[in-house]
Amino acid sequence: MARYGMVIDTRKCVGCYACRVSCQMQNELPVEESYIKFYEKETGVFPNVKNEIIPVQCQHCEDAPCVSVCPTKATYTTKEGIVLVDSDKCIGCKYCMVACHYGARTQDHNTGVVEKCRFCAELVAEGKQPACVSTCISNARIFGDLDDPNSEVSKAIIKMNAQPLRPDLGKAKIYYVR
Amino acid sequence: MVWGTIIAAYLFLAGLSAGAFLTSSYAARKYPDAKTVRIVGRLISPIFMGIGLLLLIVDAEAGLKDPLRFIYLFTNFSSVMTIGTYFISFFMMAAAYIALMELLKKDTNKIVEYVGIVFAVATAIYTGFLIGVIGAVPLWNTAILPILFVVSAFSTGIAGTMIGSAILDKKVIHQVMSIKKIHLTLLISEIFLIFTMFLITSSTNESAAQSVSLLLSGEYSTLFWIGLIVIGLMVPISIEALELWNSSKFHQSQAGIEVAASGFQGITSTLITESAVLAGGFILRYLLLAAAVPVIFL
Ligand code: SF4
Ligand code: SF4
């Protein structure tokens, strides 16, 4: 069984928002709502400063706090390790939003359901790439099976020493090159 | 604020309801004559819990649109909210039964009352654990928070019960001096717990330190100092202490109670004190939700 994950190379990311727009289209989100948020971080001291653009979305945590707090089991983890929300079970209590370390969830105010990045589970099931990955203009995103050592994503993680955003906050399935 | 005023009100009402139930059970045993206190506590308890639950339903937008979904609330045993749903259900059933018996002027089943007491305590603790287990918000994620919530729940429960009792029966509030003593102890502990919690969390965590400074000196400092500390705690502590001081001069005789009830401290001071406690109880929960700074993940 595959265990899906992603690498995001922030050195390649130019902050063009293409991934965000394609995600909004894929998930039919209104303009003001999105599953990908952009953060900017400046590190270092002048003149050696580094300015990073860091796209953040659901990290598909193993042992995800959103899954354990969700009272209705609307949020669950699939066999492939993708964290999904069953929109027919969600009551919109927002407990998962409070519990997520990455602020990765948003509430759809038409339905009241809380949603987030789903690794485009339906595209992946057809053998395609998630929308953000196939749209990224600079190939900053790589998606695939973390359990397969020969997958592009596994190789990239090793080659570029990609790390989760905050390994201390639990195991995430998105790895960043920074 | 992901969880805002509505959730603060819900946490407050659930605590108040649990506290009122405990107050009435205590009064029923300790002061069989002070019937009003018992009756008021028993009646307001399911009412306030009911209002709290309605607020919760209104806040859960997706469930509001499709109410059958609330059944799923009982399904995930790893969720504190599910466990709380069970606690509240048992508590509600017991509280509603006892209130009904009171209205019908029938004797209550002792076992149901004990079940009610257990689940009242469980409900009060749960309101603290609900937010206390959230690792993403260090201000909440301390062992002290559930204790603070229980103390505050009991305190607001006493306050609600005393206001109702004072309005219905001027004398009765001067009969139940040990309740006032308990109340005073709770209020003083609350101040102590709040500052201990701040001290511990802010020294160990950066986000919690930010939350604490939002409360002590930042955006929410006026509401914290004036609303919670002065109005919600210091004012009731002072008045309550004064009342206890004065009442020790009267012996607990009928005449003493009459004098106390007719004096300047008739019911005005009770109404002021207890309303202040209620305001403080709500403000406490509101502030804790408002000052929730999450872990900085970047
Ligand atoms: S990042 Fe947030 S929403 Fe995604 S799995 Fe982790 S806790 Fe859940
Ligand atoms: S908002 Fe929906 S998905 Fe989130 S915890 Fe509540 S029921 Fe679960």
Side-chain angles (χ1 to χ4, degrees), chain A residues 90-91, chain B residues 57 60-73:
Chain A
C90 173
I91 55 169
Chain B
I57 289 170
E61 277 177 64
L64 184 66
K65 289 180 178 128
D66 188 355
L68 281 178
R69 288 183 189 185
F70 286 115
I71 302 287
Y72 297 122
L73 265 171

Side-chain angles (χ1 to χ4, degrees), chain B:
Chain B
M1 272 168 98
V2 174
W3 274 350
T5 314
I6 296 184
I7 299 299
Y10 157 70
L11 295 172
F12 165 72
L13 290 169
L16 166 56
S17 165
F21 192 87
L22 296 176
T23 309
S24 69
S25 299
Y26 177 79
R29 271 159 199 73
K30 175 100 181 176
Y31 302 106
D33 292 340
K35 281 201 193 105
T36 317
V37 175
R38 183 195 77 214
I39 298 173
V40 168
R42 285 179 171 179
L43 293 185
I44 64 173
S45 172
I47 295 176
F48 282 108
M49 190 73 236
I51 300 173
L53 290 177
L54 281 180
L55 289 179
L56 203 57
I57 289 170
V58 169
D59 195 65
E61 277 177 64
L64 184 66
K65 289 180 178 128
D66 188 355
L68 281 178
R69 288 183 189 185
F70 286 115
I71 302 287
Y72 297 122
L73 265 171
F74 291 94
T75 56
N76 185 6
F77 287 95
S78 68
S79 169
V80 176
M81 198 181 277
T82 295
I83 294 168
T85 310
Y86 280 96
F87 287 171
I88 290 176
S89 305
F90 291 127
F91 171 54
M92 236 341 218
M93 284 190 268
Y97 158 83
I98 301 241
L100 186 68
M101 290 299 120
E102 198 62 75
L103 285 174
L104 299 174
K105 300 201 188 331
K106 284 197 185 147
D107 280 342
T108 51
N109 180 323
K110 282 275 170 307
I111 297 179
V112 179
E113 189 171 358
Y114 289 130
V115 169
I117 292 174
V118 170
F119 284 103
V121 175
T123 298
I125 299 178
Y126 140 78
T127 60
F129 270 110
L130 181 74
I131 67 171
V133 294
I134 300 297
V137 182
L139 175 71
W140 300 344
N141 196 9
T142 87
I144 300 179
L145 187 94
I147 306 173
L148 174 64
F149 269 42
V150 173
V151 169
S152 164
F154 200 6
S155 166
T156 52
I158 292 178
T161 311
M162 292 302 255
I163 290 182
S165 306
I167 293 169
L168 292 176
D169 180 353
K170 252 171 106 171
K171 271 176 257 168
V172 77
I173 46 170
H174 298 281
Q175 242 169 298
V176 291
M177 278 305 155
S178 70
I179 294 187
K180 298 213 168 202
K181 280 189 195 137
I182 295 174
H183 204 180
L184 185 61
T185 317
L186 292 169
L187 291 168
I188 294 170
S189 329
E190 230 177 293
I191 294 201
F192 179 73
L193 287 168
I194 289 170
F195 286 102
T196 313
M197 187 172 115
F198 285 3
L199 202 71
I200 294 176
T201 56
S202 63
S203 63
T204 52
N205 184 289
E206 193 191 336
S207 301
Q210 273 186 33
S211 294
V212 170
S213 70
L214 276 179
L215 292 169
L216 297 187
S217 52
E219 201 183 334
Y220 300 107
S221 56
T222 318
L223 194 56
F224 176 79
W225 288 109
I226 308 290
L228 178 58
I229 300 297
V230 176
I231 297 178
L233 294 164
M234 294 310 284
V235 166
I237 286 173
S238 318
I239 301 183
E240 206 96 66
L242 207 72
E243 273 191 330
L244 282 170
W245 171 259
N246 280 336
S247 77
S248 63
K249 287 189 256 171
F250 301 113
H251 293 291
Q252 287 290 13
S253 64
Q254 196 50 39
I257 291 166
E258 298 278 352
V259 175
S262 58
F264 81 98
Q265 45 166 329
I267 63 166
T268 330
S269 69
T270 301
L271 293 185
I272 295 173
T273 321
E274 311 300 7
S275 315
V277 171
L278 290 181
F282 172 73
I283 294 171
L284 171 70
R285 287 159 183 82
Y286 175 82
L287 286 175
L288 285 176
L289 295 187
V293 178
V295 170
I296 302 132
F297 59 83
L298 284 180

Side-chain angles (χ1 to χ4, degrees), chain A residues 69-72 74-75 85 89-96 105 114:
Chain A
V69 301
C70 174
T72 63
T75 297
V85 180
K89 276 191 177 174
C90 173
I91 55 169
C93 67
K94 302 182 278 290
Y95 204 11
C96 54
R105 292 179 161 248
V114 173

Side-chain angles (χ1 to χ4, degrees), chain A residues 8-68:
Chain A
I8 299 179
D9 188 343
T10 60
R11 299 169 311 179
K12 285 186 180 170
C13 175
V14 294
C16 71
Y17 289 26
C19 54
R20 177 178 152 139
V21 173
S22 67
C23 169
Q24 286 171 312
M25 282 162 61
Q26 178 67 25
N27 294 297
E28 296 174 3
L29 299 178
V31 215
E32 66 283 359
E33 224 176 84
S34 83
Y35 298 159
I36 303 174
K37 296 197 176 89
F38 287 83
Y39 294 90
E40 261 185 75
K41 195 180 180 189
E42 220 180 81
T43 40
V45 186
F46 180 82
N48 297 313
V49 286
K50 184 172 105 180
N51 194 25
E52 282 178 285
I53 295 164
I54 311 166
V56 175
Q57 67 217 59
C58 171
Q59 307 287 305
H60 297 274
C61 315
E62 323 247 313
D63 290 327
C66 59
V67 173
S68 55

